[in-house]
Amino acid sequence: MARAALSLMLSTCVLFAGGAGFVRKQIPTDEGRVSYEVRGGGSGPGLILIPGSFHDNREWDAIVRHLNANIPLLLVELRGHGGSWPPPANGSIEQFASDVLRVANKERWRKFYVGGHSIGGMVALEVARVEPRRVAGVLSLEGWTNADAPREAFPGKMSSTLTPELKAAIDAERQAVTAKWTEEQKKAFGTCWRRWDGQELLKTTSVPILEIYGDRGEAKPALALLRIPERANIRMRWIAGVSHWLTHEKPAEVAAAMNEFLNR
């Protein structure tokens, strides 16, 4: 009886979020709860966004300000992040994609775009693998095809363009999100993405995909190093002079690339 009551409370808990027009909600999971924010908009497919490792929905604040104001939005926090708790016991890209789809089902989103930064981009690609007919397009912001891609394409250049001030701000965000995590939980989450590989998906899917990367202010690496095939349904967009934290460095340019893809 208590379990049923808790489930009902979690599924119907609605809080007004800090962002204008957003409502915060929760759904129960096998381990606890997943928290998300939703904003209504015009007709047509909405956009689901998933933040990167050790970041909550605040990662999208600057991006959202530049996105089309009429597009419906769902911002989904991974287990252990923001209002989602606890951290996963055995996290995986597949598990996180399942959570995102459960949120979409809860909100009755039948067709949608899905995007994310870093691990969030990997989760977005996995969502498209599982439910290709429901996904209008994927927007992957430095969402690695697999664990080898960043090491070979950008060796030692994950944060090479950050100013000391911006690096300190990003570190502070990450520390705030993981304040209640144990060191073991941090280590486990930081490695779960290494077990996933999206190469077969990128080679075979017909879902439109936008891959957004920072060029680190240097010559662009070959797509083969990023494990991204050259296909008609996959578009590459390079943001000049930024690295992995492009959502913080040049949010207006990133959002412009996203809007262009969504408008197509």
Side-chain angles (χ1 to χ4, degrees):
M1 188 72 176
R3 182 184 296 272
L6 175 61
S7 176
L8 179 62
M9 179 182 70
L10 289 174
S11 64
T12 59
C13 176
V14 179
L15 300 173
F16 284 100
F22 281 94
V23 176
R24 181 172 285 276
K25 301 183 182 182
Q26 299 174 350
I27 59 170
T29 70
D30 55 318
E31 296 178 317
R33 65 181 183 269
V34 163
S35 183
Y36 64 96
E37 293 174 86
V38 59
R39 184 191 76 183
S43 60
L47 171 62
I48 300 174
L49 291 175
I50 308 149
S53 296
F54 310 132
H55 283 274
D56 56 23
N57 284 344
R58 290 173 294 180
E59 181 174 17
W60 299 113
D61 285 354
I63 298 287
V64 168
R65 285 196 290 270
H66 297 284
L67 288 179
N68 184 335
N70 292 321
I71 189 168
L73 288 174
L74 267 178
L75 312 180
V76 183
E77 292 170 323
L78 299 178
R79 298 188 183 204
H81 298 65
S84 299
W85 194 258
N90 295 288
S92 68
I93 301 300
E94 292 82 0
Q95 180 190 63
F96 305 147
S98 177
D99 288 342
V100 170
L101 284 168
R102 289 183 62 240
V103 169
N105 292 342
K106 177 67 178 178
E107 293 299 319
R108 299 181 179 179
W109 281 28
R110 296 181 179 178
K111 189 83 172 181
F112 49 82
Y113 291 90
V114 58
H117 173 234
S118 195
I119 194 174
M122 301 169 82
V123 174
L125 289 166
E126 178 65 16
V127 169
R129 186 190 70 79
V130 177
E131 290 278 11
R133 294 183 180 180
R134 295 179 66 183
V135 176
V138 174
L139 302 87
S140 178
L141 285 60
E142 298 234 344
W144 314 117
T145 305
N146 62 23
D148 292 328
R151 183 180 67 252
E152 295 187 10
F154 307 114
K157 299 171 184 174
M158 291 296 288
S159 56
S160 56
T161 58
L162 292 182
T163 64
E165 294 77 15
L166 188 51
K167 184 178 186 305
I170 291 171
D171 289 343
E173 288 179 20
R174 292 162 65 89
Q175 290 169 11
V177 169
T178 59
K180 296 188 294 182
W181 292 47
T182 66
E183 290 303 316
E184 291 75 15
Q185 288 171 330
K186 293 178 187 178
K187 182 177 180 181
F189 193 93
T191 59
C192 68
W193 62 278
R194 298 179 182 276
R195 300 190 294 270
W196 184 83
D197 194 304
Q199 291 186 92
E200 188 61 26
L201 169 70
L202 293 183
K203 291 176 182 177
T204 59
T205 185
S206 60
V207 173
I209 296 173
L210 174 64
E211 297 269 10
I212 305 179
Y213 281 86
D215 70 3
R216 277 68 173 168
E218 301 179 359
K220 303 177 185 67
L223 292 187
L225 295 179
L226 286 168
R227 309 299 196 270
I228 298 175
E230 295 189 34
R231 300 185 63 216
N233 64 308
I234 300 177
R235 301 186 65 199
M236 286 296 302
R237 182 64 179 267
W238 293 94
I239 308 298
V242 300
S243 48
H244 188 60
W245 306 105
L246 69 178
T247 52
H248 291 70
E249 293 180 274
K250 290 188 177 181
E253 289 190 29
V254 172
M258 297 169 69
N259 280 328
E260 180 184 353
F261 180 76
L262 295 169
N263 290 337
R264 287 170 65 92

